[in-house]
């Protein structure tokens, strides 16, 4: 039985030891590769890439082949009033090609506009990846915070257990009343509940990150513990420097700037409709005809019967070529082209306004992150001071209780205050760390712990 228990425990240990613990970088890389928003943005980028290839291929000539077969049946009357069968079969084959010679650079302008669309979609993809990376980093820090709270709760539970054991001994020995044991037992139950809640919150944060990564086996999902500085340094970057850097490297700004160029290029494309379009063409063709009633097509000058030529002979005899040059000159189209140009210029204004909106959003995000970083740092320093005061108060209360000058209720209150103060330190520290990571992100520094 002992051997079986040892094997079971050994297998469990090996399974836990072999369980993968994700680093922040691994989680970020996996998220940007499997997130559905990222995949959707990448599909849109591929569509724009295909559109650019299509625009470039417009320079090539268009070549088309045509084959037609017609069979007709019925009776017809000739000019002499004679009625006769008119059943026949005809075949035509042709090959044509045309190429655009002039349209005031419409093709080139359309290629440039499509290239800007592709560039903007690439920046859109980068923005989605950045958003997912920030979400992963924030959730990763939440897991670390919840684990620290578990440690704080475990320490409080251990103290409550010692207090309960001491109260049980003194109560059973008659040194303290039954109320002391009852209050110690109630305090122990509260700490057990707090500890269990902390564990559940940790599991919930792990579950949330697993969902963000689209990992189905969330029960075996875990992340590495990261040793973070106990006393974070105050913010170093100024808001002004970060904003200028963010304006230069944030993908949403780059995308908005590129879409202005795309809108301007589209206006140039629309304006080409005012100009003539010159197209050159060339073609080859031949045909075959067969009367299904007779193979005689007529008589020559000597009265000899002329029979219908064969398929290949007719193809050879009827072979022809053609070359064409055509120009489409716009004269009046109800003013639609002029209105389309006006619409395109409005789209330029919309794109410029969108750039200002994106700059405003980045500005507010940086200012908010700077404000949060400063506030969270001050909150952290205040929490350190409060925790030290709570620790001294708890130490004094425990000594006072041992001397019989305070109640166990006072001890429990002091212990709860100290545990809450430690939790406030952890919360403020992790909030501050995320604010700093966010500021670093806008300053062009990759996310890392």
């Amino acid at each position: 039985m002992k051997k079986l228990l040892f094997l079971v425990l050994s297998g469990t240990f090996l399974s836990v030891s072999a369980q993968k613990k994700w680093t922040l970088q691994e989680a970020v890389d996996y998220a940007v590769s499997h997130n559905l928003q990222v995949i959707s943005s990448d599909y849109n980028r591929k569509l724009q890439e295909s559109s650019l290839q299509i625009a470039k291929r417009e320079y090539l000539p268009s070549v088309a082949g045509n084959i037609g077969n017609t069979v007709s049946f019925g009776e017809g009357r000739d000019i002499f009033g004679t009625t006769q069968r008119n059943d026949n079969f005809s075949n035509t084959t042709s090959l044509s090609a045309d190429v655009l010679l002039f349209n005031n650079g419409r093709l080139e302008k359309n290629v440039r506009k499509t290239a800007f669309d592709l560039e903007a979609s690439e920046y859109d993809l980068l923005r989605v990846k950045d958003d997912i990376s920030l979400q992963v980093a924030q959730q990763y820090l939440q897991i670390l915070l919840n684990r620290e709270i578990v440690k704080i709760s475990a320490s409080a539970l251990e103290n409550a257990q010692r207090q309960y054991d001491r109260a049980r001994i003194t109560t059973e020995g008659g040194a303290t009343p039954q109320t002391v044991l009852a209050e110690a037992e109630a305090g122990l139950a509260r700490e057990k509940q707090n500890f269990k809640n902390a564990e559940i919150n940790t599991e919930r944060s792990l579950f949330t990150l697993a969902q963000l990564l689209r990992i189905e086996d969330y029960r075996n999902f875990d992340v590495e513990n990261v040793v973070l500085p106990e006393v974070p340094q105050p913010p170093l970057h100024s808001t002004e420097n970060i904003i200028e850097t963010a304006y230069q490297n944030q993908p949403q700004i780059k995308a908005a700037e590129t879409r202005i160029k795309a809108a301007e290029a589209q206006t140039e494309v629309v304006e080409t409709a005012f100009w003539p379009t010159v197209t050159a063409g060339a073609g080859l063709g031949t045909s075959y005809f067969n009367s299904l009633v007779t193979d005689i097509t007529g008589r020559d000058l000597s009265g000899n019967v002329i029979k219908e030529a064969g398929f290949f002979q007719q193809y050879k005899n009827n072979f022809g070529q053609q070359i064409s040059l055509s120009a489409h000159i716009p004269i009046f189209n109800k003013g639609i082209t002029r209105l389309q140009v006006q619409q395109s210029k409005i789209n330029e204004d919309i794109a410029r306004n969108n750039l200002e909106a994106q700059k405003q959003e980045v500005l507010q995000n940086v200012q908010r992150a700077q404000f949060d970083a400063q506030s969270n740092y001050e909150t952290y320093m205040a929490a350190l001071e409060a925790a030290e005061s709570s620790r001294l108060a708890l130490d004094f209360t425990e000594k006072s209780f041992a001397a019989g000058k305070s109640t166990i209720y006072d001890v429990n209150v002091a212990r709860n205050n100290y545990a809450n103060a430690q939790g406030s330190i952890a919360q403020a520290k992790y909030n501050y760390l995320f604010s700093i990571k966010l500021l670093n992100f806008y300053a062009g520094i990759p996310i890392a712990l």
Side-chain angles (χ1 to χ4, degrees):
M1 182 66 181
K2 290 182 179 180
K3 184 177 181 180
L4 178 60
L5 180 59
F6 173 79
L7 291 175
V8 172
L9 292 176
S10 298
T12 303
F13 175 79
L14 290 174
S15 176
V16 173
S17 299
Q19 180 179 346
K20 175 179 175 59
K21 291 183 180 293
W22 293 66
T23 64
L24 175 59
Q25 189 60 52
E26 289 174 338
V28 168
D29 292 342
Y30 188 89
V32 298
S33 300
H34 294 79
N35 184 270
L36 294 178
Q37 291 180 344
V38 174
I39 295 173
S40 178
S41 295
D42 191 45
Y43 282 144
N44 182 64
R45 181 194 63 79
K46 291 179 179 178
L47 285 175
Q48 294 297 338
E49 195 174 50
S50 178
S51 297
L52 178 58
Q53 294 299 320
I54 292 173
K56 290 180 178 180
R57 290 175 182 267
E58 290 293 335
Y59 287 107
L60 300 176
S62 298
V63 180
N66 294 283
I67 298 178
N69 295 284
T70 304
V71 180
S72 61
F73 303 95
E75 292 184 348
R77 180 174 296 179
D78 58 19
I79 58 175
F80 301 106
T82 304
T83 300
Q84 60 183 1
R85 296 290 300 177
N86 191 24
D87 303 338
N88 56 67
F89 167 79
S90 62
N91 168 269
T92 58
T93 301
S94 64
L95 181 67
S96 62
D98 62 82
V99 62
L100 185 65
L101 297 181
F102 175 80
N103 64 349
N104 195 34
R106 180 184 182 89
L107 298 184
E108 177 186 355
K109 294 171 183 178
N110 189 53
V111 168
R112 188 166 68 253
K113 185 263 181 186
T114 310
F116 286 138
D117 288 338
L118 173 59
E119 185 178 353
S121 67
E122 290 172 345
Y123 286 127
D124 289 340
L125 177 60
L126 287 177
R127 181 180 185 180
V128 174
K129 288 183 177 180
D130 286 344
D131 291 343
I132 296 300
S133 299
L134 288 175
Q135 292 179 39
V136 171
Q138 185 176 24
Q139 193 58 40
Y140 202 100
L141 285 174
Q142 185 64 46
I143 294 171
L144 298 182
L145 168 62
N146 289 337
R147 283 181 174 173
E148 192 160 331
I149 292 176
V150 168
K151 294 178 182 178
I152 296 171
S153 298
S155 178
L157 176 58
E158 184 179 353
N159 291 333
Q161 184 67 54
R162 284 199 300 265
Q163 190 69 42
Y164 170 77
D165 294 339
R166 187 189 313 160
R168 182 171 55 82
I169 293 172
T170 57
T171 300
E172 291 177 354
T176 54
Q178 189 69 31
T179 55
V180 172
L181 178 60
E183 180 60 30
E185 187 175 3
L188 177 60
R190 284 193 296 270
E191 294 303 334
K192 286 181 178 179
Q193 182 182 15
N194 292 337
F195 179 74
K196 178 54 66 175
N197 288 337
E199 286 187 324
I200 292 174
N201 288 335
T202 301
E203 293 298 323
R204 181 178 290 113
S205 58
L206 281 167
F207 170 71
T208 302
L209 181 57
Q211 283 194 318
L212 188 60
L213 300 182
R214 296 181 63 205
I215 295 177
E216 296 182 359
D217 188 15
Y218 63 89
R219 297 186 183 277
N220 293 321
F221 177 75
D222 199 5
V223 300
E224 282 191 350
N225 284 321
V226 181
V227 179
L228 301 174
E230 288 297 328
V231 183
Q233 297 297 317
L236 300 177
H237 300 287
S238 66
T239 305
E240 292 75 15
N241 293 338
I242 295 176
I243 289 174
E244 289 303 319
T245 303
Y247 283 167
Q248 296 175 9
N249 60 25
Q250 285 299 297
Q252 60 264 44
I253 300 294
K254 294 292 187 180
E257 291 174 343
T258 306
R259 286 196 166 92
I260 292 177
K261 298 177 182 178
E264 293 172 345
Q266 178 61 30
T267 300
E268 294 179 1
V269 171
V270 175
E271 288 175 341
T272 60
F274 288 118
W275 292 78
T277 300
V278 180
T279 305
L284 304 172
T286 187
S287 63
Y288 167 77
F289 177 86
N290 179 28
S291 172
L292 301 179
V293 177
T294 177
D295 61 350
I296 298 175
T297 61
R299 297 179 180 273
D300 58 16
L301 296 177
S302 302
N304 299 320
V305 174
I306 302 175
K307 290 192 175 183
E308 193 173 74
F311 180 84
F312 293 104
Q313 186 63 40
Q314 286 195 39
Y315 255 48
K316 180 179 179 181
N317 296 338
N318 298 333
F319 181 74
Q321 309 86 37
Q322 63 179 12
I323 298 177
S324 65
L325 182 67
S326 61
H328 173 77
I329 303 174
I331 298 177
F332 177 71
N333 69 339
K334 308 174 187 178
I336 293 177
T337 300
R338 193 171 302 279
L339 291 174
Q340 289 174 335
V341 171
Q342 293 177 4
Q343 287 180 332
S344 187
K345 290 185 178 296
I346 293 174
N347 286 330
E348 291 182 27
D349 294 333
I350 292 174
R352 295 187 185 97
N353 184 71
N354 182 61
L355 173 60
E356 294 304 315
Q358 294 300 327
K359 286 185 175 181
Q360 181 69 21
E361 180 181 343
V362 170
L363 172 64
Q364 293 177 350
N365 289 340
V366 172
Q367 290 176 335
R368 187 182 301 110
Q370 180 73 30
F371 177 82
D372 290 344
Q374 189 64 45
S375 300
N376 290 331
Y377 181 76
E378 294 174 359
T379 301
Y380 174 77
M381 299 306 294
L384 285 177
E385 184 177 350
E388 179 61 19
S389 300
S390 298
R391 187 191 65 79
L392 293 175
L394 175 59
D395 185 60
F396 175 79
T397 304
E398 287 179 340
K399 292 179 180 178
S400 178
F401 174 73
K405 295 181 179 181
S406 60
T407 65
I408 191 172
Y409 176 79
D410 297 327
V411 175
N412 287 336
V413 170
R415 184 187 300 114
N416 288 336
N417 290 338
Y418 181 56
N420 291 335
Q422 287 180 305
S424 297
I425 290 176
Q427 185 71 58
K429 181 176 73 173
Y430 281 91
N431 287 343
Y432 172 74
L433 285 174
F434 181 72
S435 300
I436 290 297
K437 297 303 176 185
L438 192 57
L439 279 176
N440 290 341
F441 165 75
Y442 285 116
I445 301 174
I447 299 174
L449 292 180

